[in-house]
Amino acid sequence: MTDNKSKKPGDLRSARWFAPDDLRAFGHRSRAMQMGYAPEEWKDRPVIAIINTWSDVQPCHMHFKTRVDDIKRGVLMAGGFPVELPALSLSESLQKPTTMLYRNLLAMDAEELLRGHPVDGVVLMGGCDKTTPALLLGATSMNLPAIYLPAGPMLRGNWKGKTLGSGSDAWKYWDERRAGQISDKDWVDVEAGIARSYGTCMTMGTASTMTAIAESIGMTLPGASSIPAADAGHIRMASECGRRIVEMVWEDLTPKKIQSRKAFENAITVAMAMGCSTNAIIHLIAQARRAGQDIGLDDFETASRKVPVIANVRPSGDKYLMEDFFYAGGLPGLMSRIKDHLHLDVMTVTGKTLGENIASAEVYNDDVIRTTANPIYAEGALAVLKGNLAPDGCVIKPSACEPRFLKHTGQAIVFDDYPSMKKAIDDPDLDVTADHVLILRNAGPQGGPGMPEWGMLPIPTKLVKQGVRDMVRLSDARMSGTSYGACILHVSPESYIGGPLALVRNGDRITLDVAARTINLDVPEAELAKRRAEWKQPETRFERGYGWMFTRHIKQANEGCDFDFLETDFGAPVDEPSIY
C-alpha cells in the first residue's frame, strides 16, 4: 500500500453515497447488500470502477471478459472495492459506418458513468482504435484518478510460412488477388491466418499507436502498451493496474496532474519515432484540449522535423510486428533511445516521473528498434501539408509511401462518393495512369459522416495488373493505421462544408511537395472564385437522433473532431451530482 496518502476514508467520493446516516444513504447501502455485498467490503475503501469495452462483436477485446477478473483481484489485494461498468465497445472491424462516428459518444458514456456512480477511481479497459482516445477523453473530463489498461496486440499472423500483419497484408494480398496472382483458396487461407488470437492489430496501426500514446502521456504502467494480449504478462499487468489504482485514489493522483503540455509533447515525439498512424493527430489534439492543453498541427510539424522513425514495425518498417517490438524492449526501450527529445520530469500513473520509469530500459534487438543514427526514416512518421487546397492542413505518412511521390504533380480524377469511386476503380477503360491523383471527397467529419477510413483509395485494377502498387490519393477522410501509400488525408476544411477540395474538377493539376510541406491546386484564383459561387451544399446527412447532434457539433480534423460542447473551455466544469 502507498505511504503517500493525501486522502482519508471520509474524503472518498463514494462516502457521499454510503457514509451518511440518512434515508438516501440507507437506500444505497441496502441495494449494495441486495447484490450480496457486506458493508465491510465497501466501508472506508475506495470504490474502483472498471470501465469494460468487451462485447461479443469486439474481437480485439475478447479477453476482457476474464481480464476484468484479474483487475478485480488486484483491486481487492490493495484494499479497494471493484465494480464493473460496461461501456460502448466500438469494434473497428465490424461497426459501421465508422467507429469514429461514435468516439465522442463513448467519451460521453465514460464521463457520465463515472460522474453518476459512487466511484473514487477507474481502470479503463480499451485498445481497439477509438476506445483508447474515447476513454481517456471521458476520464480526463471527469478527472478522477484513472489508469489505462491496453488490450495488447494479437499474435503474428501466418500463411504458408509467411508472417502476416493485420490490415497491411490484407491490402497487399487483395491487390495480388485482383491482379490474379493468388487463388480463391489462398485468399480464404489468408483470412484464417491473418488474425489468429484475441488482441488489437499487431502492426503499428491506430490501436498500437494510441495505446503507446496513452503510455507516453503517462496514463499506463511502464511497458503496458507493448505486451501481447495472449502473453501471461498481460494478465499480471491487469492485476497490477487494479492494485495501482487503489493507491492512486489515496494519493489523489488525477489525470490533470499527469496530462501536462510536456506530456503531450512527449506523446507526439514518441508517435513520430514509432512510425505512427495518421489518426494519432486527430486523437491527440482532442485529448490535449480535454486536458486544457493547447496542442495543434504545428506541434506535430515541429516534432516531425527533428524526430526520426526508429521502430522497424510495419507498415513504416519492412519486416517486424508488435510482438517483435515487445521482445526487443517495447516502448520503454524505444523511449530510452530518444531521451534527448523527451521531457523526463513529467509525472505518470506510477507516482514517478517518466525518467524514473525508463531509467533501466534496454533494447534487445537493434534492427527492430533502431538507433537515431540508423533510422527507418530520417524524419518523423507524419508530415503536415498546407496550401490553397488545405488551408487548415492535411496529413501524409511519408515513411510509408513510395519516395517518388514526395514531390509530385498530377491530374485529378475526382469522386464525390465511395460507391462511384469503387465502381470506377474496376473499370478497365478508366482513363488513369500512375501519375494521376485520385480524389475522394464528402468523406470528412460531416460528409462521411464520421470521417470513415476511406482514405487509402484502392489502386485502379487496370494499374494493379500493370504492377502499380502506389499512387497519390487525396481525401478529407481518414486512413487505417495499418494502411500505407502516398495518401493525403484529413483535408481541412472538408469538402462537405465547402472547403477547397469541393472545387476540384477532373483534369485539374495538383502539386505536393512534402519537403516544403505544401499542397496546392494549380488553378487561378479567379476560376476558383467562380466555382465557389456555383457550389451547392450536399444534402443533409441526418435529420434526427445521435447523427443529427453529431453533425451540428463535430469540429474539423485539425481541431481533433471533438464535440464543441465537450471541450474544456466550452463552459464551467460540471458539479458533482446532487444526492437527495
Side-chain angles (χ1 to χ4, degrees), residues 51 53-54 58 60-61 63-64 89-90 92 106 124-135 148-153 199-201 205-212 214 225 234:
I51 295 188
T53 51
W54 173 89
Q58 176 53 285
C60 302
H61 298 178
H63 53 313
F64 279 4
S89 191
L90 300 190
E92 194 69 28
L106 174 55
L124 306 164
M125 299 180 70
C128 192
D129 295 13
K130 309 307 175 295
T131 58
T132 300
L135 292 170
Y148 190 78
L149 185 149
T200 60
C201 289
T206 304
S208 288
T209 292
M210 295 313 302
T211 55
S225 67
H234 195 274

Side-chain angles (χ1 to χ4, degrees), residues 494-528:
E494 65 176 304
S495 56
Y496 184 83
I497 62 172
L501 192 62
L503 309 180
V504 183
R505 293 181 180 175
N506 287 327
D508 287 348
R509 292 172 65 83
I510 292 171
T511 297
L512 72 133
D513 187 336
V514 173
R517 299 299 198 259
T518 57
I519 178 85
N520 285 294
L521 176 61
D522 301 333
V523 173
E525 181 53 41
E527 172 62 20
L528 292 179

Side-chain angles (χ1 to χ4, degrees), residues 180-194:
Q181 301 299 315
I182 65 173
S183 67
D184 290 348
K185 172 62 166 59
D186 285 337
W187 184 242
V188 172
D189 290 343
V190 170
E191 287 178 354
I194 201 167

Side-chain angles (χ1 to χ4, degrees), residues 51 85-87 108-119:
I51 295 188
L85 299 177
M108 294 170 70
D109 190 8
E111 181 178 348
E112 299 308 323
L113 280 172
L114 296 176
R115 176 170 290 113
H117 289 92
V119 298

Side-chain angles (χ1 to χ4, degrees), residues 21-69:
D21 183 15
D22 61 22
L23 184 59
R24 186 60 63 198
F26 161 84
H28 300 152
R29 293 190 295 268
S30 69
R31 292 302 184 180
M33 294 177 76
Q34 177 188 6
M35 292 185 284
Y37 300 118
E40 292 80 9
E41 295 184 69
W42 74 75
K43 189 176 188 300
D44 296 339
R45 297 173 182 266
V47 178
I48 303 300
I50 305 171
I51 295 188
N52 190 352
T53 51
W54 173 89
S55 85
D56 267 335
V57 287
Q58 176 53 285
C60 302
H61 298 178
M62 290 305 294
H63 53 313
F64 279 4
K65 201 168 189 177
T66 56
R67 288 295 185 276
V68 68
D69 295 328

